[in-house]
Amino acid sequence: MKLKIAIQKSGRLHEDSIKLLKECGIDINNGVNKLKTEASNFPLEVFFLRDDDIPQYIEDGVADIGIVGENVVLEKQKQVNIVQKLGFGKCRLSMAVEKSFDYTGVQDLQNKRIATSYPVIVADFLESNGITAEIHEISGSVEIAPGIGLADAICDLVSSGSTLFMNGLKEVETVLKSEAVLAANHNLQPAQQQLLDKLLFRIQAVKKAKNTKYILLNAPNDKLNEIISLLPGMKSPTVLPLAEAGWSSVHSVLSENEFWDIIESLKAAGAEGILVVPIEKMVI
Ligand code: ATP
Ligand code: ZN
C-alpha cells in the first residue's frame, strides 16, 4: 500500500516540493522527464504533473494528495481538502492597471475589460464587490494585455511586482494571498490516511524547526534569573556551569519573530557570547 502524491513537474513549486520531501527524510530520485517515481524509504509514489491538473487528479483519487498553489485549488473548484499550508510559493493574485490609469478604488473597474488566467476567482471578487466587468481569459503573458489594447486591467500572480513594473503597470488590489498547500482527496482509505498523518507529522516538525532557533549564551551567575526570565523556551532553559567560576551557559529555543527583540534585552541584561543556530527538526 502506497500513498500517491502529485507534485509540479517543472516550474516554481517543483524544487521546493522535492526539498520538502527530502527534509522529511524521504528519498526520491528525481529523474528528468519522468512521469512518476517511488521513494526508496517511505511508501510514497510521486507523480509529476502540470500544476493545473493536480486538483482534478486528487479529486478523482488518481493521486491521494498533492502539492499545489492555493490559487490553483480555488480556481479549479475541485473538491479537495487543504490539509496543510507549506510556507513556500508565496504570492498574491492582484489587479493591476497601466500607470497612467487614475485608479481610486474597485468601482473604477466597472464595465472595464480584465485579462486574467483566473476567471473564476476574478468573477468571485467582482461579484462580492458589486462590480460588473468583462473578463478575458488568457493563459499566459497576461501582463502585456493592457499594452496591446486587449484589456484595461489585468489580474495576475505577483511576488515582487517587478514584472508588472517592467510592463508599465501598477498593482491596485490584492484579490487573494496564496502559498503552496498540501491538498488531499476527501475519501482516503484508512491506510492512506495513516500514511498521510505520518507525512504530516514530519512536515510539521520541519516547519516548526524553520521558525525556531536554538540559542546559547553565557551569563554571569548573578544575572541568571533575569536572563532566564527573558527566554521563552519549550520548557525551562538548560543551565550548565562554565569552567570559569561565576558564569553559566544557558541554552534555549526561540522563534524567529521574537529573535531580535530578545537578543537586545539579553545583551542589556549582561549575556555574552550569544550564538543562534538553526534547528533541523523539532518535535514537541
Ligand atoms: P505548469 O507548467 O505546471 O502549468 P505554471 O506556469 O502554471 O506551471 P508556475 O509559474 O510554475 O506555473 O507557478 C506555479 C505556482 O507557483 C503558482 O500557481 C503560484 O501558486 C506559485 N507562485 C509563486 N510566486 C509566483 C509568481 N510570482 N508568479 C506566478 N506564480 C507564482
Ligand atoms: Zn499551470
Side-chain angles (χ1 to χ4, degrees):
M1 194 58 113
K2 286 189 193 280
L3 185 68
K4 291 172 286 181
I5 185 170
I7 65 171
Q8 196 187 19
K9 183 175 171 56
S10 63
R12 293 175 194 264
L13 302 182
H14 174 80
E15 275 184 15
D16 282 337
S17 303
I18 304 260
K19 187 166 140 241
L20 177 69
L21 294 175
K22 287 225 164 85
E23 286 167 341
C24 290
I26 298 173
D27 286 330
I28 56 171
N29 55 355
N30 174 26
V32 196
N33 287 329
K34 268 198 186 166
L35 190 62
K36 63 175 190 169
T37 188
E38 282 179 18
S40 57
N41 57 356
F42 194 91
L44 190 74
E45 201 172 344
V46 186
F47 296 128
F48 300 107
L49 300 168
R50 283 202 59 195
D51 66 345
D52 312 67
D53 298 333
I54 291 177
Q56 177 83 61
Y57 275 83
I58 298 172
E59 186 186 81
D60 294 346
V62 176
D64 300 308
I65 59 172
I67 296 177
V68 65
E70 235 174 330
N71 51 303
V72 176
V73 174
L74 288 174
E75 179 64 27
K76 300 294 172 190
Q77 298 187 293
K78 301 296 173 204
Q79 297 304 311
V80 299
N81 272 340
I82 292 185
V83 288
Q84 175 77 53
K85 294 195 180 209
L86 297 174
F88 60 84
K90 287 194 178 168
C91 57
R92 52 196 187 274
L93 187 62
S94 289
M95 290 283 181
V97 295
E98 290 196 297
K99 275 189 203 118
S100 56
F101 192 129
D102 183 20
Y103 187 91
T104 55
V106 269
Q107 68 280 358
D108 291 346
L109 296 172
Q110 182 70 27
N111 297 327
K112 294 288 191 295
R113 297 163 303 160
I114 304 171
T116 186
S117 310
Y118 292 86
V120 172
I121 298 176
V122 171
D124 241 36
F125 174 81
L126 293 174
E127 196 192 318
S128 65
N129 283 285
I131 305 289
T132 319
E134 220 179 280
I135 298 174
H136 284 258
E137 181 178 357
I138 48 180
S139 58
S141 304
V142 175
E143 66 284 354
I144 64 167
I148 59 172
L150 183 71
D152 308 299
I154 65 162
C155 191
D156 203 11
L157 293 175
V158 185
S159 45
S160 69
S162 58
T163 308
L164 293 182
F165 185 79
M166 283 189 307
N167 284 281
L169 302 173
K170 61 178 178 187
E171 202 176 340
V172 290
E173 302 281 346
T174 305
V175 172
L176 175 81
K177 284 196 171 149
S178 178
E179 65 183 87
V181 295
L182 188 70
N185 176 272
H186 267 304
N187 302 301
L188 288 179
Q189 298 295 315
Q192 261 86 20
Q193 183 64 51
Q194 252 179 23
L195 289 171
L196 171 57
D197 290 343
K198 207 166 158 178
L199 180 62
L200 269 176
F201 177 80
R202 295 189 188 188
I203 290 175
Q204 280 155 9
V206 170
K207 274 197 74 183
K208 200 153 271 150
K210 278 195 181 144
N211 295 328
T212 315
K213 303 283 172 215
Y214 192 80
I215 178 168
L216 306 94
L217 58 86
N218 296 333
N221 287 345
D222 57 343
K223 296 283 177 56
L224 256 181
N225 285 342
E226 185 184 348
I227 286 172
I228 287 171
S229 72
L230 292 168
L231 292 167
M234 280 199 279
K235 283 215 170 85
S236 54
T238 307
V239 180
L240 302 164
L242 285 189
E244 189 180 333
W247 283 80
S248 298
S249 169
V250 179
H251 301 200
S252 189
V253 293
L254 49 86
S255 84
E256 183 92 69
N257 309 333
E258 45 198 8
F259 172 73
W260 287 109
D261 287 344
I262 292 188
I263 293 295
E264 280 163 22
S265 345
L266 287 171
K267 277 198 73 176
E272 289 181 11
I274 303 173
L275 293 181
V276 176
V277 291
I279 297 173
E280 192 173 313
K281 311 273 189 309
M282 190 162 153
V283 179
I284 48 175

